[in-house]
C-alpha cells in the first residue's frame, strides 16, 4: 500500500528518490519522507501530504549523499502526520528504515523494546523495526563483516506479517540492506548503481535489468554489488531478469491523466494479450500450461479467486468456462474465500487473477489452495510478482504498466486472457466444434479494431458526464454477462467520482431495489446479449415509469426512442462483449471525476496495490 524507493550509486540520491516517489504516489499519498547518508550521519526529512510537500522542504536540495531510502505512505497504523511518516530511525539514530506492509506483532515487540529502555515517538508499527535492529546489533558480540546483516536478519525473523524493508546505517556508509516478505520490492541494477522500488515502472527509466526477490531473501547492496542470503545467511545465487516494458509506457504521453491514457491503450493491451495465442484453424497455444484432457475432465470444480475489478474479470471467465467447457466454476472474493473453509481437493483447479500480483488476500487464498492440494494458476500483469512465484502455473496479461489507481486496461486484458484460457480448455476437452470456436476466435482477432471504434464515443460520454456529475446516486443494470459489466462500471464510478452507485441484475430490481428509484435518478444499462435484451428492456421500462433517466450501452439494433441517451458500440460475441461495453462506462467515470475537479489517478483512501489484509 505504501511505496518505497532506494538508491545507491555515484549520483546525488535525493533527486532520484523524489522522482521515484512521485511515480509511486499511486500506492499511497498521505505523507512522504527521505533519509540519506551525509558524511557518516543520517539525514531525515519527512512531511505530511504529497511528495511535492517533501520536495519543497527547506534544506532538501542540500542533501549530497549518494545512498538513500524514501517512502510514500498510505496510513495503516497511526494517522497521517510528520511523526508517523517514514523513514523511521532507532533511538540512537544509527539506522534509518522504510517499510511497506504491516508488522502484526508490533505491540508485543514494542512492549519488549519499552522494557529494554527504548522510547517510541510515533503510533506506527514500523518504528519497532529500526529499534529491534539496533537491539540485535548491540547484543551481537561478533565484530565481523556480517554484523549489520545479522542484526537485520535477527530482527526480521521476529516479525509476523508482511514487510518490504530498506535499511541504511551511518556505521555502514557504503551499504544498504533490503528484504521482503509478502510485500513487493524489486532491485534494478546497472554497472555502478542500484535502484530499489516497490514496483518496476518507477525505475524503468534507469534500467531494464532487475533482481526479483523471494520471501526472506536478504540482500546486501553496494553501488557495484548485490549479495543475496537466505534466512540462515547462506549466500545464494540470483540472476537478473530483463523486463520488456519501456519507460515511455510509464509516462503520461500527452494525456491529462494516466487513467485516460490507459483507457486509450486498450487496443494495444488487448492485441498484446492475444499475442500469438489465437489464430484461426489452429489450436490455442499455452505452452506454459500443458493440461491434459484427462486432468481437465476429472476436475470437479474451478474456483476463480480475486479482488475488486480482477474479481469482475473472473465473473466473465466463469461465463466462458462454464458455457464452453461445462465445468462448474465458482467465483469468489479472495478475502472471503480464505476464511470460509472452501471445499478444495486435488480435483479442484484454483485460478487467481491479480493485476499487480501482490494483493495480500489473493496471495493468501492461493497459499491456502495449495495447502489443500489444488493446482493453482495465476493470471497477472506483472512478471515475477509474488502471486506468479507462488502458483504452480502462471499466464500473463500484457497490458503494460497500469499506474492509475482505477483499473481499466488490466481489466479488459484479464477478460481477454481468461476467455482465451476457456477456449484452450474447450479445445483440450473437445467440448465445442472447431467451427464454433473459430467464430469466437475471429471475433477476438477483430477486437483491437473494435475497441478503437468504441473509443469514438468519447465526446458523447463527455457531454453526458456534464449532465449527471452532480448526482448523488447512480444505478447500473444488466443481465448475464452484462450484469458483470454493470458491477465493474459501478465500481469505477464510485471509486473515482465518489458518487454512490450500485449495480443490480436487472431482473432482481423488482425484488427490492426498485424502491430507490425516484424522479430523475440516473439508471445505466448494458444490453449486449440478444437472448436477454427484451427482458432487460422490460426492466428498464419499469424504472422509466418511475421517472428515471436512462443511458443505454448496446451493440444491438434497438428502439432508441424510449431512452434518454444511447451509446452504440460494435457488435461482437457475447463472451467478450465486456471488453467493449465497459469502455464508455470507464470514460463516463473518468469525465464525471474531471467535472468534479477530483484527482482521477489518485482517488481518496485508495491505493493501487493492496498489500495488506
Ligand atoms: C479497481 C481496482 C481494484 C483492484 C483490486 C485487485 O479499479 O483496481 O479493485 O482490481 O484491488 O488488485 P489486483 O488486480 O492488483 O490484485
Amino acid at each position: 500500500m505504501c511505496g518505497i524507493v532506494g538508491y545507491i550509486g555515484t549520483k546525488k540520491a535525493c533527486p532520484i528518490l523524489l522522482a521515484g516517489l512521485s511515480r509511486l504516489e499511486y500506492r499511497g499519498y498521505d505523507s512522504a519522507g527521505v533519509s540519506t547518508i551525509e558524511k557518516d550521519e543520517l539525514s531525515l526529512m519527512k512531511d505530511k501530504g504529497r511528495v511535492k510537500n517533501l520536495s519543497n522542504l527547506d534544506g532538501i536540495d542540500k542533501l549530497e549523499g549518494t545512498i538513500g531510502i524514501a517512502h510514500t505512505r498510505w496510513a495503516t497504523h497511526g494517522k497521517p502526520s510528520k511523526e508517523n511518516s517514514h523513514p523511521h530511525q532507532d533511538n540512537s539514530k544509527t539506522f534509518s528504515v522504510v517499510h511497506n506492509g504491516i508488522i502484526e506483532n508490533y505491540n508485543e515487540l514494542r512492549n519488549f523494546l519499552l522494557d529494554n529502555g527504548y522510547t517510541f515517538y510515533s503510533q506506527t508499527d514500523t518504528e519497532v523495526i529500526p529499534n529491534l535492529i539496533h537491539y540485535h546489533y548491540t547484543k551481537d558480540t561478533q565484530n565481523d563483516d556480517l554484523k549489520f546483516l545479522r542484526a537485520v536478519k535477527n530482527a526480521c525473523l521476529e516479525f509476523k506479517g508482511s514487510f518490504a524493508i530498506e535499511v541504511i546505517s551511518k556505521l555502514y556508509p557504503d551499504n544498504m540492506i533490503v528484504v521482503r516478505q509478502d510485500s513487493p520490492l524489486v532491485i534494478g541494477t546497472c554497472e555502478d548503481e542500484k535502484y530499489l522500488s516497490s514496483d518496476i515502472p518507477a525505475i524503468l527509466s534507469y534500467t531494464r535489468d532487475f533482481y526479483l526477490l523471494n520471501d526472506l531473501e536478504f540482500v546486501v547492496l553496494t553501488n557495484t554489488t548485490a549479495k543475496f542470503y537466505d534466512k540462515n545467511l547462506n549466500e545464494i545465487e540470483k540472476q537478473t531478469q530483463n523486463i520488456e516494458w519501456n519507460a515511455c509506457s510509464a509516462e503520461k504521453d500527452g494525456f491529462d491523466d494516466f487513467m485516460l491514457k490507459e483507457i486509450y491503450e486498450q487496443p494495444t493491451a488487448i492485441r498484446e494479450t492475444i499475442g500469438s495465442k489465437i489464430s484461426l484453424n489452429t489450436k490455442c497455444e499455452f505452452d506454459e500450461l500443458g493440461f491434459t484432457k484427462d486432468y481437465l475432465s476429472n476436475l470437479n470444480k474451478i474456483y476463480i479467486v480475486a479482488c475488486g475489478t480482477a474479481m469482475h474479470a473472473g465473473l466473465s471467465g466463469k461465463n466462458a468456462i462454464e458455457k464452453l467447457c461445462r465445468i462448474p466454476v465458482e467465483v469468489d472474493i479472495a478475502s472471503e474465500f480464505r476464511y470460509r473453509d472452501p471445499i478444495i481437493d486435488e480435483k479442484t483447479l484454483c485460478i487467481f487473477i491479480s493485476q499487480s500480483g501482490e494483493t495480500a488476500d489473493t496471495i493468501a487464498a492461493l497459499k491456502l489452495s495449495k495447502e489443500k492440494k489444488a493446482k493453482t494458476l495465476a493470471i497477472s500483469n506483472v512478471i515475477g510478482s509474488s502471486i506468479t512465484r507462488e502458483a504452480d502455473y502462471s499466464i500473463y496479461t500484457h497490458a503494460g504498466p497500469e499506474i492509475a489507481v482505477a483499473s481499466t486496461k488490466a481489466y479488459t486484458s484479464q477478460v481477454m486472457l481468461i476467455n482465451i484460457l476457456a477456449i484452450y480448455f474447450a479445445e483440450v476437452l473437445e467440448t465445442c466444434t472447431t467451427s464454433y470456436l473459430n467464430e469466437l476466435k475471429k471475433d477476438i482477432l477483430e477486437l483491437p479494431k473494435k475497441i478503437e471504434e468504441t473509443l469514438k464515443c468519447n465526446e458523447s460520454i463527455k457531454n453526458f458526464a456534464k449532465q449527471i456529475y452532480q448526482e448523488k446516486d447512480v444505478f447500473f443494470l444488466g443481465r448475464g454477462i452484462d450484469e458483470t459489466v454493470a458491477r465493474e462500471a459501478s465500481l469505477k464510478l464510485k471509486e473515482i467520482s465518489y458518487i454512490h452507485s450500485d449495480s443490480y441484475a436487472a431482473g432482481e430490481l423488482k425484488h427490492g431495489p426498485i424502491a430507490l428509484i425516484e424522479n430523475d435518478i440516473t439508471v445505466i444499462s448494458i444490453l449486449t446479449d440478444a437472448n436477454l435484451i427484451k427482458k432487460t428492456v422490460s426492466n428498464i421500462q419499469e424504472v422509466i415509469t418511475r421517472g428515471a433517466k436512462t443511458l443505454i450501452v448496446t451493440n444491438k439494433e434497438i428502439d432508441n426512442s424510449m431512452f434518454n441517451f444511447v451509446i452504440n458500440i460494435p457488435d461482437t460475441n457475447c463472451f467478450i462483449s465486456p471488453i467493449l461495453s465497459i469502455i464508455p462506462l470507464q470514460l463516463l467515470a473518468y469525465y464525471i471525476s474531471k467535472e468534479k475537479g477530483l484527482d482521477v489517478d489518485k482517488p481518496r483512501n485508495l491505493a493501487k496495490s493492496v498489500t495488506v489484509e
Side-chain angles (χ1 to χ4, degrees):
M1 308 289 281
C2 304
I4 60 180
V5 282
Y7 174 76
I8 171 163
T10 49
K11 304 190 188 91
K12 272 202 220 179
C14 192
I16 295 170
L17 296 172
L18 292 174
L21 285 186
S22 305
R23 294 195 197 103
L24 284 183
E25 251 194 329
Y26 69 86
R27 299 177 67 89
Y29 28 87
D30 58 46
S31 47
V34 59
S35 177
T36 55
I37 303 183
E38 303 288 321
K39 301 199 179 70
D40 299 348
E41 284 300 321
L42 292 173
S43 75
L44 180 64
M45 302 202 104
K46 47 193 193 176
D47 205 1
K48 192 177 156 192
R50 295 275 167 106
V51 173
K52 67 172 181 315
N53 296 9
L54 176 68
S55 316
N56 291 336
L57 286 183
D58 270 355
I60 199 150
D61 51 340
K62 306 274 178 333
L63 298 179
E64 300 283 338
T66 57
I67 163 167
I69 56 180
H71 186 274
T72 177
R73 181 165 185 251
W74 187 85
T76 55
H77 292 73
K79 62 181 187 336
S81 68
K82 184 172 174 185
E83 296 67 43
N84 289 334
S85 315
H86 301 217
H88 287 281
Q89 294 185 328
D90 66 298
N91 291 172
S92 70
K93 303 193 188 313
T94 305
F95 301 100
S96 279
V97 169
V98 288
H99 163 225
N100 172 25
I102 290 184
I103 305 298
E104 288 167 4
N105 57 337
Y106 84 101
N107 250 332
E108 208 179 303
L109 295 170
R110 194 179 162 110
N111 289 337
F112 168 79
L113 289 164
L114 284 169
D115 289 347
N116 280 278
Y118 288 83
T119 308
F120 287 87
Y121 301 96
S122 77
Q123 291 112 39
T124 64
D125 52 337
T126 301
E127 207 183 350
V128 299
I129 301 176
N131 284 308
L132 199 60
I133 293 172
H134 177 267
Y135 172 84
H136 283 290
Y137 190 82
T138 49
K139 287 276 170 276
D140 192 340
T141 49
Q142 288 185 70
N143 267 323
D144 58 4
D145 290 350
L146 294 181
K147 186 167 179 168
F148 181 17
L149 174 62
R150 233 173 5 251
V152 175
K153 188 265 301 187
N154 287 336
C156 287
L157 294 189
E158 291 195 45
F159 301 145
K160 295 202 174 82
S162 58
F163 49 86
I165 298 171
E166 297 169 359
V167 194
I168 52 174
S169 169
K170 65 177 182 183
L171 303 177
Y172 298 87
D174 301 322
N175 286 156
M176 182 185 301
I177 295 186
V178 302
V179 58
R180 67 178 284 272
Q181 174 169 288
D182 294 333
S183 275
L185 183 65
V186 294
I187 304 170
T189 176
C190 312
E191 210 178 317
D192 54 4
E193 290 172 304
K194 302 285 171 279
Y195 296 87
L196 295 102
S197 170
S198 301
D199 76 14
I200 292 169
I203 48 177
L204 257 185
S205 53
Y206 307 111
T207 180
R208 301 242 190 117
D209 293 323
F210 287 85
Y211 290 111
L212 305 173
L213 299 182
N214 292 321
D215 282 354
L216 287 181
E217 285 178 350
F218 293 83
V219 195
V220 182
L221 296 166
T222 67
N223 63 332
T224 50
T225 60
K227 284 193 178 171
F228 298 87
Y229 299 85
D230 68 14
K231 62 178 183 200
N232 300 314
L233 297 195
N234 299 312
E235 208 171 328
I236 45 179
E237 282 293 310
K238 200 163 261 296
Q239 301 301 325
T240 55
Q241 294 206 19
N242 187 268
I243 302 294
E244 290 165 13
W245 297 346
N246 63 40
C248 255
S249 48
E251 303 293 341
K252 279 190 199 152
D253 260 356
F255 285 89
D256 284 349
D257 302 279
F258 278 112
M259 183 178 175
L260 191 61
K261 175 184 175 236
E262 289 161 7
I263 290 173
Y264 273 85
E265 280 173 344
Q266 290 179 105
T268 312
I270 296 299
R271 208 172 273 122
E272 298 277 316
T273 299
I274 298 169
S276 58
K277 292 182 203 74
I278 293 276
S279 52
L280 298 180
N281 300 314
T282 44
K283 291 199 169 166
C284 262
E285 282 176 29
F286 267 118
D287 295 342
E288 55 279 59
L289 298 183
F291 289 142
T292 61
K293 184 171 181 179
D294 190 43
Y295 168 71
L296 288 177
S297 56
N298 276 311
L299 286 176
N300 50 23
K301 189 188 282 181
I302 293 178
Y303 273 110
I304 302 179
V305 183
C307 303
T309 287
M311 192 277 287
H312 296 154
L315 291 171
S316 67
K318 170 184 167 79
N319 186 58
I321 297 172
E322 287 192 338
K323 290 198 173 124
L324 296 178
C325 316
R326 308 311 292 161
I327 304 174
V329 180
E330 234 182 277
V331 180
D332 215 337
I333 297 165
S335 55
E336 290 294 317
F337 176 85
R338 57 186 290 202
Y339 294 115
R340 72 173 173 91
D341 194 11
I343 302 169
I344 302 174
D345 58 25
E346 63 280 1
K347 289 189 173 178
T348 320
L349 172 65
C350 295
I351 302 177
F352 299 86
I353 310 180
S354 175
Q355 185 284 128
S356 62
E358 303 295 346
T359 300
D361 282 316
T362 311
I363 296 169
L366 192 156
K367 288 181 178 166
L368 174 81
S369 310
K370 272 174 87 174
E371 275 164 28
K372 291 181 174 257
K373 308 270 181 285
K375 274 202 178 17
T376 54
L377 164 58
I379 296 184
S380 180
N381 195 38
V382 181
I383 293 171
S385 56
S386 300
I387 191 182
T388 65
R389 278 179 284 148
E390 285 288 338
D392 298 314
Y393 306 91
S394 298
I395 56 176
Y396 293 94
T397 49
H398 293 279
E402 193 180 61
I403 309 291
V405 165
S407 181
T408 53
K409 61 176 181 170
Y411 166 75
T412 46
S413 302
Q414 288 160 350
V415 174
M416 185 70 276
L417 191 58
I418 200 146
N419 269 279
I420 299 175
L421 188 68
I423 297 176
Y424 163 74
F425 287 169
E427 283 174 344
V428 175
L429 285 164
E430 300 177 283
T431 39
C432 295
T433 63
T434 308
S435 64
Y436 180 81
L437 291 180
N438 254 339
E439 281 306 306
L440 177 53
K441 287 180 182 176
K442 203 161 141 276
D443 279 327
I444 289 176
L445 293 170
E446 285 169 0
L447 265 180
K449 280 254 154 303
K450 289 184 179 174
I451 299 173
E452 280 162 16
E453 192 62 31
T454 307
L455 284 165
K456 292 183 184 153
C457 70
N458 185 57
E459 283 306 309
S460 319
I461 290 290
K462 209 177 191 170
N463 288 335
F464 186 69
K466 286 196 172 95
Q467 290 172 35
I468 68 160
Y469 76 98
Q470 282 168 321
E471 310 243 321
K472 295 270 173 290
D473 303 284
V474 172
F475 293 93
F476 290 86
L477 303 181
R479 278 175 187 255
I481 194 71
D482 295 332
E483 189 265 339
T484 70
V485 177
R487 291 196 202 205
E488 172 58 9
S490 171
L491 175 63
K492 227 56 334 155
L493 183 68
K494 62 178 87 117
E495 70 182 317
I496 60 166
S497 76
Y498 316 152
I499 294 177
H500 167 259
S501 84
D502 237 323
S503 67
Y504 293 101
E508 188 63 11
L509 209 62
K510 55 189 168 299
H511 298 287
I514 201 162
L516 295 169
I517 303 297
E518 53 187 25
N519 209 24
D520 221 28
I521 206 153
T522 298
V523 177
I524 299 174
S525 311
I526 304 110
L527 300 173
T528 69
D529 186 339
N531 295 323
L532 300 172
I533 281 188
K534 277 203 180 123
K535 303 269 176 212
T536 312
V537 168
S538 305
N539 301 130
I540 301 170
Q541 191 72 63
E542 290 158 12
V543 299
I544 292 174
T545 312
R546 286 157 182 85
K549 62 174 174 300
T550 50
L551 167 73
I552 306 294
V553 176
T554 186
N555 58 12
K556 301 286 182 293
E557 297 280 313
I558 54 168
D559 173 10
N560 287 359
S561 60
M562 62 192 274
F563 310 114
N564 299 83
F565 218 83
V566 177
I567 296 290
N568 291 107
I569 57 170
D571 200 4
T572 191
N573 189 299
C574 218
F575 291 121
I576 50 174
S577 66
I579 295 172
L580 300 178
S581 55
I582 192 62
I583 289 173
L585 304 173
Q586 292 170 339
L587 286 167
L588 182 65
Y590 173 80
Y591 283 117
I592 289 178
S593 178
K594 290 301 271 186
E595 280 298 325
K596 293 181 82 168
L598 301 174
D599 187 341
V600 178
D601 285 338
K602 300 185 192 89
R604 71 181 177 206
N605 304 340
L606 294 177
K608 182 73 183 160
S609 182
V610 187
T611 52
V612 293
E613 240 189 82

